[in-house]
Amino acid sequence: MATEPVVPPEAALIKERRKDRLPPMGVPAAAAAATSAGVKMSPEGWRSIETGRHNGPPGKLAIMAQVVGITPDELAEIGRRFGRENAAEAARLLEAHLRRRVASEPALAAIDTDSVPEQVLQLILEGIDDIRTAKGLTDAQKSSLEQSLIHVTMQSVSAQIVQIRTTLKILGEKARQG
């Protein structure tokens, strides 16, 4: 009797995030997105890594993580907590890939990307990819949506920072008053 393979934590996280996307992403779509991102992958190959039948090499894990929105920090944490060297190396590869992609992305030229957390940059890149692959939009409409995405994201982050600073100032004043 064959035993089920043990699913590595990085593969379990990839599967969880793929299914939790809105709308959920099927294996064929995920494999196609990985192939578009530069790693040739079939749906069967994706499934074999997700189910633990095969350990994903770091390069594939990095792209799979990117496709489903896992950050380099999350992969690095799996590497540290579970001694998963493939996950740790995938984290390094994903971080380098994101930095290269950000540096080459004209839509991000207007912001100081060195001061933006990687997770925010990754979300922006996901949004840009979604916009660029959308059917039925003109290039001008796609460009307008990209600019809007970046503008609204940066406004939101800036507003959150102002709110945090205001809260800290109020708390500091209350602490001084005793």
Side-chain angles (χ1 to χ4, degrees), residues 31-143:
T35 299
S36 292
V39 171
K40 186 175 180 185
M41 184 170 286
S42 67
E44 295 76 23
W46 185 286
R47 274 189 204 91
S48 73
I49 292 171
E50 265 192 6
T51 60
R53 280 191 310 250
H54 294 11
N55 268 330
K60 281 191 178 183
L61 289 174
I63 295 301
M64 290 173 79
Q66 175 193 327
V67 165
V68 299
I70 296 170
T71 66
D73 287 344
E74 290 172 304
L75 283 176
E77 178 63 20
I78 287 172
R80 282 189 297 276
R81 284 186 56 208
F82 299 101
R84 301 288 302 169
E85 187 52 40
N86 277 5
E89 180 60 21
R92 289 187 285 276
L93 292 172
L94 179 55
E95 181 177 357
H97 172 75
L98 287 173
R99 287 293 165 187
R100 280 191 309 274
R101 171 99 192 271
V102 164
S104 69
E105 184 55 63
L108 297 175
I111 62 174
D112 176 15
T113 57
D114 290 335
S115 66
V116 178
E118 285 174 354
Q119 190 169 12
V120 173
L121 291 173
Q122 189 170 359
L123 289 169
I124 292 171
L125 289 171
E126 283 181 40
I128 288 171
D129 290 343
D130 289 345
I131 291 166
R132 289 182 181 164
T133 58
K135 306 271 190 255
L137 297 176
T138 66
D139 288 344
Q141 290 169 324
K142 289 179 181 183
S143 178

